[in-house]
């Protein structure tokens, strides 16, 4: 199969994404407008008959002082990863990116390698000898994903240094998902653990209401998000980031980004952003106040978002990143504990991979990044 690769228009790129059952929100053309500090390009793969068969959003970050770029395809490109001739897809991409001045390429194949259901994770948490997800036998292993990893290694791609703790990759390697395909909402609710079901009931009884917000409510979102940032010790993104995100994503598709609030007695207690691409729905950012926790606003909000995702025909509700730590003393443990209550599954991707086109500059970037 001979493939040619060239720059495509955003319209072509969007039409291709819309023809797929799902793709990452980091691979839609409008994501480039969210990431204003990067230059971007839309790439298309064409087969012999001239049909567009793959697409990728590339973000370029210039190195300080020289006209050389890191080329990054977050959670992409959207190609046939299981093709036996993966070379025919990736070699033209590397040649093109080198021609564009890239000294290094980073990509995140959207290829799942293992899944663990909630029961397996809970058993792992209770076992004192288990410290990480990979110490637990996976419920499902995808053999073809190992073939993809082998092919990439043979081509000279290097797995990102992190080696799988999940947060060393730029995009999370481990995520938590609630599968919705071929399940009734009743099934989904039954999959929740007792604590979650109790908390959803408690919120209902207390009169917590969950509402959707619009652009004009982003300042209120920001208020809750900044409270969360102080509590959880992270640097918040500015309001302008979320305003831009809302504007550019929803101008591409009016249903791409949503905003939710859980309120009690007229006071907003928690909030979340949701992203939608085809059958894949993400809970993207979450925020909550320090007050009103006893009425369980976050559980009520997640249940509403999940129901809305289901009503849209989503096949998966994605709660995004988790750490692979099952150690209760780990500061990131609370994240997996909260998400595991939804009865979903932990999912491991093959992670991010680098191809140094210029080994010297690639090494220099590594050293620079490790000092930051």
């Amino acid at each position: 199969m001979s493939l040619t690769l060239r720059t495509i228009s955003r319209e072509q790129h969007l039409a291709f994404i819309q023809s797929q059952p799902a793709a990452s929100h980091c691979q839609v053309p409008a994501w480039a407008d969210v990431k204003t500090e990067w230059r971007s390009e839309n790439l298309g793969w064409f087969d012999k008959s001239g049909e567009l068969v793959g697409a990728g959003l590339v973000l370029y970050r210039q190195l300080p002082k020289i006209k050389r770029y890191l080329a990054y395809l977050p959670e992409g490109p959207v190609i046939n990863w299981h093709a036996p001739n993966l070379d025919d897809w990736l070699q033209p991409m590397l040649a093109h990116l080198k021609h564009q001045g890239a000294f290094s390429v980073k990509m995140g194949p959207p290829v799942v390698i293992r899944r663990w259901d909630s029961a397996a994770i809970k058993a792992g948490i209770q076992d004192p000898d288990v410290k990480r997800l990979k110490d637990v036998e996976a419920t499902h292993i995808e053999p073809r994903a190992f073939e993809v990893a082998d092919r990439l290694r043979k081509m000279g791609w290097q797995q990102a240094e992190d080696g799988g703790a999940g947060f060393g990759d730029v995009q999370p390697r481990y995520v938590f998902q609630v599968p919705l395909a071929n399940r009734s909402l009743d099934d989904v609710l039954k999959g929740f653990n007792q604590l979650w079901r109790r908390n959803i009931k408690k919120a209902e009884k207390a009169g917590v209401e969950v509402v959707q917000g619009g652009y004009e409510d982003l300042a209120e979102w920001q208020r809750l998000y900044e409270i969360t940032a102080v509590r959880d010790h992270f640097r918040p993104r500015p309001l302008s980031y979320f305003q831009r995100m809302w504007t550019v994503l929803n101008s591409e598709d009016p249903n791409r980004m949503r905003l939710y609030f859980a309120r009690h007695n007229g006071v907003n207690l928690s909030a979340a952003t949701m992203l939608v691409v085809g059958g894949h729905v993400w809970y993207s950012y979450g925020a909550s106040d320090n007050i009103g926790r006893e009425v369980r606003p976050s559980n009520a909000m997640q249940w509403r978002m999940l129901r809305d995702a289901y009503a849209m025909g989503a096949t998966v509700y994605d709660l995004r990143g988790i750490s692979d730590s099952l150690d209760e003393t780990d500061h990131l443990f609370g994240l997996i504990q909260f998400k595991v209550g939804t009865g979903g599954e932990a999912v491991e991707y093959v992670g991010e991979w680098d191809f140094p086109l210029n080994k010297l500059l690639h090494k220099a970037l590594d050293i620079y990044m490790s000092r930051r």
Side-chain angles (χ1 to χ4, degrees):
M1 179 171 153
S2 75
L3 293 163
T4 53
L5 177 132
R6 61 176 183 268
T7 306
I8 54 174
S9 70
R10 289 177 67 136
E11 292 71 29
Q12 282 173 295
H13 187 171
L14 183 59
F16 179 77
I17 294 285
Q18 285 166 338
S19 75
Q20 302 297 300
S24 168
H25 61 271
C26 302
Q27 279 296 304
V28 300
W31 194 249
D33 303 326
V34 177
K35 299 292 169 191
T36 47
E37 66 279 27
W38 301 68
R39 183 167 69 82
S40 69
E41 186 184 14
N42 307 83
L43 294 183
W45 281 259
F46 294 85
D47 67 10
K48 267 214 249 333
S49 67
E51 193 190 340
L52 183 61
V53 289
L57 174 69
V58 188
L59 302 174
Y60 293 98
R61 191 66 165 285
Q62 191 175 342
L63 268 184
K65 300 190 175 69
I66 54 170
K67 271 224 149 35
R68 284 284 177 271
Y69 303 88
L70 166 67
Y72 180 36
L73 295 97
E75 298 184 5
V78 184
I79 60 173
N80 178 6
W81 284 98
H82 299 297
N85 57 333
L86 202 48
D87 264 39
D88 295 357
W89 290 85
L90 296 179
Q91 289 308 343
M93 179 181 87
L94 289 174
H96 176 87
L97 297 175
K98 189 172 189 171
H99 185 69
Q100 294 286 65
F103 68 88
S104 187
V105 181
K106 183 186 267 298
M107 65 176 183
V111 175
V112 169
I113 200 159
R114 291 184 193 89
R115 297 175 188 273
W116 293 263
D117 66 19
S118 293
I121 300 166
K122 282 178 200 152
I125 291 169
Q126 282 155 9
D127 185 339
D129 295 334
V130 167
K131 293 290 176 226
R132 301 211 162 270
L133 211 42
K134 53 176 173 285
D135 303 334
V136 177
E137 195 177 336
T139 320
H140 177 79
I141 290 178
E142 182 51 72
R144 294 190 309 166
F146 291 94
E147 288 166 24
V148 172
D150 282 346
R151 282 188 191 128
L152 290 175
R153 267 186 215 101
K154 284 194 180 95
M155 279 181 238
W157 288 85
Q158 301 165 1
Q159 196 149 20
E161 284 307 297
D162 172 57
F167 285 99
D169 292 328
V170 183
Q171 298 298 330
R173 181 163 177 180
Y174 292 91
V175 299
F176 202 87
Q177 297 177 347
V178 181
L180 300 177
N182 308 318
R183 295 176 76 192
S184 69
L185 260 183
D186 224 29
D187 276 351
V188 175
L189 184 59
K190 279 190 188 122
F192 281 32
N193 71 13
Q194 265 179 318
L195 183 64
W196 262 84
R197 290 203 301 270
R198 216 170 34 235
N199 286 344
I200 290 167
K201 274 213 178 80
K202 198 181 238 181
E204 234 169 81
K205 256 204 183 112
V208 171
E209 52 167 349
V210 180
V211 296
Q212 265 185 263
Y215 179 87
E216 65 288 351
D217 301 302
L218 285 167
E220 173 64 357
W221 147 264
Q222 192 71 15
R223 178 185 75 81
L224 291 167
Y225 173 63
E226 287 180 6
I227 290 170
T228 310
V230 171
R231 184 177 65 238
D232 293 348
H233 312 292
F234 65 84
R235 205 166 86 216
R237 291 187 181 276
L239 173 60
S240 58
Y241 180 83
F242 295 102
Q243 288 172 327
R244 182 166 71 243
M245 203 170 163
W246 182 275
T247 307
V248 300
L249 292 178
N250 287 337
S251 63
E252 178 176 274
D253 179 332
N255 202 28
R256 186 75 82 222
M257 180 175 175
R258 290 181 171 200
L259 178 62
Y260 287 84
F261 292 98
R263 57 170 67 141
H264 186 241
N265 296 337
V267 179
N268 292 317
L269 297 177
S270 62
T273 62
M274 178 200 262
L275 297 174
V276 182
V277 184
H280 204 125
V281 171
W282 291 265
Y283 154 55
S284 170
Y285 284 88
S288 60
D289 206 329
N290 298 325
I291 57 163
R293 295 186 151 207
E294 67 288 347
V295 295
R296 306 297 179 210
S298 294
N299 299 89
M301 184 173 64
Q302 287 295 343
W303 177 229
R304 162 73 191 274
M305 288 165 73
L306 213 149
R307 291 199 319 269
D308 284 3
Y310 188 88
M312 276 184 246
T315 53
V316 63
Y317 180 72
D318 195 322
L319 291 131
R320 283 299 272 171
I322 51 170
S323 142
D324 73 334
S325 174
L326 297 182
D327 179 354
E328 298 189 15
T329 60
D330 190 306
H331 72 291
L332 293 168
F333 175 73
L335 208 53
I336 193 166
Q337 198 178 31
F338 176 73
K339 294 175 183 182
V340 94
T342 60
E345 53 190 19
V347 176
E348 180 190 2
Y349 284 89
V350 291
E352 294 196 319
W353 294 72
D354 297 315
F355 196 99
L357 292 164
N358 178 320
K359 290 198 166 67
L360 205 66
L361 287 177
H362 179 80
K363 190 82 197 126
L365 178 79
D366 263 3
I367 292 165
Y368 169 71
M369 292 307 280
S370 66
R371 287 188 182 147
R372 288 183 73 182

